[in-house]
Amino acid sequence: MFLELRTDVCYNGIGDAMKILKMKKLKSGKYQIKLSNMETLTTYDDVILKYNLLFDKEITSELLKDLYAQTKYYDIYYKVVKYLSVRMRSTYEIHKYLKKYQVLKEEEYKLIRELQGKGLLNDALFAKAYASDKMHLSNFGPDKIRSDLKALHIDESFIEDALGELEQSDIEETLDKIIQKKWNTNRRYSEYQWKEKVLLELVQKGYPRSMVQEHLEHFSCDDHAMLEKEYERQKKKLGKKYQGKDLIYQIKGKLYQKGYTSEDINRVLEEDE
């Protein structure tokens, strides 16, 4: 339903002024404004409030130009708000996002300040949320979290504050859970090779090497039993293609690759004979 306002028009003798004839709120939440020159402007309540358009206000061509500019500004502003509604973003991510809209630098920084002023953009809170989520949901270690936050251009002090809020006990508990899970599913690797493999994976995941090594010391296995199982598996698999000395050579090669020593391999071969 249109809101009826005054229909008399004042042109100031130069034909560049007009009045609002009608105003209608659309389903999208925007407002459609019909002017006395039959021009229609679809804009936001932010613009209406800023220019006090709810009242019988004279609209000059200069003011109309400003209204269009502000409408364009809020077109982009609400795109960013929607982008932020998916998840928290860093200021750097918003700058990158705005590049596709070719926003002038002055407008870009104005928009960033407005988002910050409304609490929609806060690098300190973003860093804390990111660190917590990545540790608990993705099992990232502190080194990777720090590296990722640096890549997002987060201030160093915010990064340290975020990492400082992570409980050391939680980090070590998460690390133990990861190692235990990998340990429970190990069926082929020797203890030495398994530990080297896990160490590399967890260092890449952001856990300090010394911390990982310390936790790996709590895990040990019966290498001989593991070797026997792997020997039988390789013998059955490679026996389809090789025989005699060639088969032994191929089996030894596979077992060496899995970290078993020559002495242990020869012992299993002797037992099989």
Side-chain angles (χ1 to χ4, degrees):
M1 179 178 179
F2 281 109
L3 299 175
E4 296 289 347
L5 300 181
R6 286 177 55 188
T7 58
D8 52 311
V9 180
C10 176
Y11 292 99
N12 284 339
I14 56 175
D16 69 343
M18 60 212 81
K19 294 281 187 175
I20 296 175
L21 292 180
K22 297 178 181 179
M23 183 177 294
K24 179 181 179 181
K25 187 172 184 179
L26 306 176
K27 290 182 179 180
S28 63
K30 296 180 183 179
Y31 286 83
Q32 187 182 77
I33 299 173
K34 186 176 181 181
L35 302 176
S36 58
N37 67 346
M38 297 300 109
E39 189 168 351
T40 300
L41 169 67
T42 301
T43 191
Y44 300 87
D45 54 0
D46 306 80
V47 178
I48 290 171
L49 293 173
K50 181 176 180 178
Y51 290 94
N52 206 21
L53 299 181
L54 288 176
F55 297 94
D56 184 10
K57 188 178 184 68
E58 183 178 277
I59 309 295
T60 64
S61 58
E62 191 63 32
L63 175 56
L64 185 59
K65 181 179 177 181
D66 289 343
L67 295 179
Y68 276 114
Q70 283 297 300
T71 298
K72 182 178 179 182
Y73 171 85
Y74 280 103
D75 279 339
I76 297 172
Y77 174 84
Y78 282 109
K79 282 184 173 65
V80 176
V81 170
K82 184 177 180 180
Y83 182 60
L84 284 167
S85 71
V86 178
R87 67 167 177 81
M88 290 183 73
R89 311 276 180 177
S90 67
T91 302
Y92 172 71
E93 288 177 286
I94 299 303
H95 280 298
K96 283 185 65 177
Y97 179 75
L98 289 171
K99 286 185 183 297
K100 65 180 179 180
Y101 296 110
Q102 298 180 328
V103 181
L104 294 174
K105 282 295 179 183
E106 181 181 343
E107 292 291 293
E108 182 177 335
Y109 284 102
K110 176 186 174 184
L111 194 152
I112 293 289
R113 288 193 300 272
E114 185 169 356
L115 291 168
Q116 290 172 336
K118 292 180 178 179
L120 298 174
L121 195 59
N122 186 314
D123 278 359
L125 292 180
F126 170 83
K128 291 177 181 179
Y130 184 94
S132 179
D133 286 351
K134 290 302 180 181
M135 188 187 80
H136 293 107
L137 302 179
S138 302
N139 293 329
F140 284 5
D143 292 347
K144 179 165 177 53
I145 293 172
R146 178 182 286 104
S147 176
D148 286 354
L149 289 173
K150 283 184 177 180
L152 290 170
H153 296 213
I154 300 298
D155 186 271
E156 189 70 33
S157 64
F158 295 158
I159 295 175
E160 293 310 315
D161 286 345
L163 292 174
E165 290 198 355
L166 299 179
E167 295 289 343
Q168 184 68 19
S169 58
D170 287 345
I171 297 173
E172 302 211 25
E173 183 180 343
T174 300
L175 182 57
D176 272 337
K177 286 180 180 178
I178 297 172
I179 295 175
Q180 185 66 60
K181 184 176 180 179
K182 291 182 177 295
W183 179 254
N184 293 340
T185 56
N186 177 42
R187 298 291 182 272
R188 299 182 181 181
Y189 297 103
S190 67
E191 180 178 329
Y192 171 80
Q193 189 178 33
W194 177 80
K195 286 185 175 181
E196 287 296 302
K197 182 174 180 291
V198 172
L199 175 63
L200 178 61
E201 288 179 9
L202 292 177
V203 168
Q204 290 176 340
K205 208 167 181 66
Y207 292 92
R209 176 177 290 271
S210 59
M211 182 188 293
V212 178
Q213 289 173 325
E214 180 181 344
H215 283 255
L216 284 173
E217 289 177 1
H218 302 151
F219 293 82
S220 61
C221 68
D222 183 353
D223 260 4
H224 189 70
M226 293 275 293
L227 174 55
E228 286 180 328
K229 289 181 180 180
E230 185 62 20
Y231 168 74
E232 291 299 330
R233 194 182 75 84
Q234 293 295 341
K235 180 181 178 182
K236 182 178 180 180
K237 179 181 177 181
L238 297 171
K240 297 175 182 179
K241 188 175 180 181
Y242 302 98
Q243 297 294 325
K245 291 182 177 180
D246 287 341
L247 176 59
I248 298 300
Y249 176 80
Q250 292 294 329
I251 292 175
K252 281 186 173 183
K254 292 292 183 181
L255 296 178
Y256 284 139
Q257 290 175 14
K258 294 191 175 295
Y260 295 106
T261 66
S262 177
E263 181 181 353
D264 289 338
I265 294 172
N266 288 332
R267 186 182 304 123
V268 170
L269 289 171
E270 289 172 4
E271 291 173 357
D272 188 43
E273 292 177 357

